[in-house]
Amino acid sequence: QVQLVESGGGLVQAGGSLRLSCAASGRTFSSYALGWFRQAPGKEREFVAAISKITSSTYYADSVKGRIFISRDNAKNTVYLQMNSLKPEDTAVYYCSAADSVGRLTIGSWGQGTRVTVSS
């Protein structure tokens, strides 16, 4: 079972950039599909981005397309979320997940989350 630890969150002004990281334990990192989800106060957790295993195909929520990018470094057992042109609506706790496939990320393993606050 994979263990996930998110980092890189913080306070940033609108229009700024931030890069989140999620480090995984073990030697089987390349066999997992990976994703990022977020949860704002009073709202349900929502999908942000995902990246598949083998082919590293990427998928994004419509609200973040063109601004937020997911990538993975299998040698470092790390998945990243590069966030640009941040908006106050991006304020949330961000979580990474791992599963056998992109379609199963919502029921896979989760990290503890890292908080992102975007000021006006």
Side-chain angles (χ1 to χ4, degrees):
Q1 189 170 8
V2 64
Q3 306 294 316
L4 304 170
V5 180
E6 300 95 334
S7 63
L11 175 64
V12 63
Q13 292 187 349
S17 298
L18 208 59
R19 187 179 72 172
L20 307 184
S21 299
C22 177
S25 64
R27 300 179 180 179
T28 60
F29 183 81
S30 62
S31 68
Y32 291 99
L34 302 160
W36 287 93
F37 295 76
R38 66 187 182 187
Q39 187 167 21
K43 299 182 65 177
E44 295 184 351
R45 188 171 298 184
E46 65 176 348
F47 169 76
V48 177
I51 186 166
S52 70
K53 60 186 180 182
I54 303 176
T55 62
S56 293
S57 299
T58 57
Y59 308 86
Y60 298 97
D62 289 340
S63 61
V64 305
K65 286 181 179 178
R67 300 189 299 117
I68 296 180
F69 305 90
I70 188 171
S71 63
R72 65 190 295 165
D73 188 336
N74 291 339
K76 296 182 178 180
N77 280 12
T78 302
V79 60
Y80 303 96
L81 191 71
Q82 177 66 49
M83 304 190 294
N84 302 318
S85 300
L86 284 165
K87 305 175 180 180
E89 305 93 274
D90 296 318
T91 295
V93 176
Y94 285 71
Y95 302 88
C96 65
S97 65
D100 292 336
S101 66
V102 168
R104 293 177 58 86
L105 282 170
T106 56
I107 57 174
S109 298
W110 296 88
Q112 86 289 349
T114 185
R115 186 178 300 275
V116 172
T117 302
V118 184
S119 63
S120 300

